């Protein structure tokens, strides 16, 4: 089981390095966006969302990514980073206080 994860990580790691080094910036953003969407889908599964809720969560995540992509500037970056910081603080408290 561990060897499978190591091999998978090696292939994905090599793929990401090649992506960052050799693709244009927009293509890298699309690849990372697809990976983040896959991560959102997996997170929703870990949270035991139903199939419809997983789809809705992933769709909202994709919509937020597109909105940020289209309207990105320094002010938007500050808002997005502030929201992310708030979310991670909430998650930290939730994990720390979980019975």
């Amino acid at each position: 089981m561990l060897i499978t994860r190591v091999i998978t990580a090696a292939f994905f790691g090599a793929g990401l390095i090649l992506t960052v080094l050799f693709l244009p910036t927009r293509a890298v953003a699309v690849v990372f966006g697809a990976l983040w969407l896959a991560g959102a889908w997996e997170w929703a599964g870990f949270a035991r969302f139903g199939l419809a809720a997983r789809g809705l969560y992933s769709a909202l995540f994709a919509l937020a990514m597109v909105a940020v992509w289209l309207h990105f500037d320094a002010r938007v970056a500050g808002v997005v980073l502030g929201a992310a910081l708030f979310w991670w603080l909430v998650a930290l408290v939730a994990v720390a206080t979980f019975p």
Side-chain angles (χ1 to χ4, degrees):
M1 180 79 162
L2 179 61
I3 190 69
T4 304
R5 289 179 184 235
V6 170
I7 292 170
T8 302
F11 277 113
F12 280 140
L16 284 176
I17 289 170
L18 292 173
T19 297
V20 170
L21 291 177
F22 296 113
L23 289 181
T25 303
R26 288 192 183 264
V28 172
V30 168
V31 169
F32 280 12
L35 292 173
W36 284 323
L37 282 176
W41 178 265
E42 285 297 314
W43 184 89
F46 292 143
R48 297 191 177 151
F49 289 178
L51 191 60
R54 279 176 90 171
L56 179 62
Y57 177 79
S58 299
L60 290 174
F61 197 87
L63 190 67
M65 287 184 354
V66 169
V68 170
W69 175 281
L70 293 176
H71 303 290
F72 185 82
D73 64 9
R75 195 176 33 176
V76 171
V79 170
V80 170
L81 290 174
L85 175 62
F86 176 74
W87 168 251
W88 284 111
L89 290 174
V90 168
L92 175 66
V93 170
V95 168
T97 59
F98 188 77

